[in-house]
Amino acid sequence: MMSANPESTRTARVLVVEDEPKLASLLMDYLRAAGFEASWIADGAAVIDQVRSQQPDLVLLDLMLPGRDGLSLCRELRTFSDMPVIMLTARVEEADRLDGLESGADDYICKTPFSPREVIARVRTILRRVQVQNDRQQDRLSAQSPIRMDVEAYRAYYKGALLPLTPVEFRLLRVLLSAPGHVFTRDQLLARLHDDPRSVNDRAVDSHIKNLRRKLEAVDASADLIRSVYGVGFRLELSGRG
Ligand code: CA
């Protein structure tokens, strides 16, 4: 029953990277009116840090930026994330040129003439596409997993037994299960567990992990699904004894 993604129940976050304040504020207004959570930065040099800490669902990235150009930013984003990127270009020729380059962007929008409605439509289309891909991946994973998550009911089962999880533990398990074998850092986990990660100490992750392990072991004492990776973070292992 893992067809829905719990992240679909929260507001999608869009990061706008644009150095023209008028355009940026217009985009922000439209995004918020369309129900998105939007934030804005103008400085290209701040983008990577911002993306890492904020983990937006989509980035609207201007091509020509002070500090750093959008193309090199997009390439760097692609080294650690597959979040969708829509590139904003000033002229149609720039978009043509981008097509020939391996930028890694998912889409391009030309700013002349600028249509915020068009931007919103593309943002929606891409987020929907990503959601469908995620759901399919979740379905594949849940078919082989001893863990089953009913996202709508906020219930998780291990080997058929209902786990008495807190909402935070549920989200933690859901994140780990989204990519078995992948090592998540404490910061990445924190960013996904709490709406405002700054309000929580990153050691809190360790105590949630400890509680989650204890609850899994209560079902099967040999459960060893959540592995610590020294100095890095945690990963979920489904292929082992667990
Ligand atoms: Ca610009």
Side-chain angles (χ1 to χ4, degrees):
M1 283 277 300
M2 200 161 167
S3 54
N5 180 335
E7 290 176 10
S8 68
T9 59
R10 67 157 174 76
T11 315
R13 285 188 294 244
V14 178
L15 175 64
V16 176
V17 185
E18 170 60 66
D19 60 308
E20 291 162 55
K22 268 189 192 159
L23 199 64
S25 98
L26 188 66
L27 274 171
M28 300 283 284
D29 288 347
Y30 269 83
L31 285 164
R32 285 173 179 157
F36 296 105
E37 203 180 289
S39 52
W40 166 51
I41 49 176
D43 180 12
V47 171
I48 298 293
D49 280 350
Q50 185 82 3
V51 166
R52 281 189 190 276
S53 64
Q54 195 196 70
Q55 309 242 344
D57 298 290
L58 186 144
V59 182
L60 282 171
L61 182 59
D62 184 25
L63 180 65
M64 304 295 271
L65 286 165
R68 238 186 118 171
D69 77 282
L71 196 61
S72 88
L73 278 169
C74 190
R75 286 188 179 129
E76 185 173 345
L77 285 176
R78 280 290 166 266
T79 64
F80 66 90
S81 168
D82 57 2
M83 80 182 58
V85 176
I86 299 179
M87 209 72 115
L88 301 172
T89 66
R91 288 184 307 276
V92 76
E93 304 87 75
E94 284 179 359
D96 287 346
R97 195 172 63 85
L98 277 172
D99 267 337
L101 300 166
E102 294 278 314
S103 68
D106 295 78
D107 205 352
Y108 314 100
I109 296 173
C110 188
K111 292 193 278 185
T112 42
F114 186 62
S115 162
R117 279 195 188 84
E118 171 77 11
V119 176
I120 301 298
R122 304 261 196 115
V123 166
R124 283 210 173 105
T125 303
I126 288 180
L127 286 175
R128 207 154 41 221
R129 195 167 73 208
V130 169
Q131 184 67 54
V132 168
Q133 284 164 355
N134 286 347
D135 287 352
R136 282 197 192 124
Q137 194 195 0
Q138 295 293 4
D139 287 345
R140 268 201 306 278
L141 291 173
S142 60
Q144 337 155 332
S145 168
I147 297 172
R148 198 164 59 81
M149 300 192 88
D150 181 345
V151 168
E152 257 119 72
Y154 245 69
R155 283 189 176 148
Y157 302 83
Y158 176 46
K159 298 190 170 175
L162 177 66
L163 295 167
L165 303 182
T166 65
V168 169
E169 289 160 7
F170 183 90
R171 282 150 93 169
L172 180 61
L173 183 59
R174 160 66 186 65
V175 173
L176 291 168
L177 190 64
S178 70
H182 175 82
V183 181
F184 290 92
T185 66
R186 287 182 173 79
D187 283 346
Q188 288 170 338
L189 291 172
L190 265 186
R192 289 166 163 90
L193 293 185
H194 298 279
D195 295 332
D196 182 5
R198 286 162 302 183
S199 66
V200 211
N201 182 310
D202 72 344
R203 288 288 138 188
V205 171
D206 294 66
S207 85
H208 294 312
I209 292 272
K210 201 173 130 200
N211 292 333
L212 192 50
R213 279 183 178 140
R214 190 168 44 75
K215 291 175 183 180
L216 290 164
E217 283 161 12
V219 176
D220 178 350
S222 70
D224 186 20
L225 274 68
I226 302 172
R227 312 280 171 88
S228 305
V229 180
Y230 184 75
V232 189
F234 302 94
R235 69 184 161 87
L236 187 79
E237 189 56 63
L238 291 176
S239 54
R241 284 166 293 149

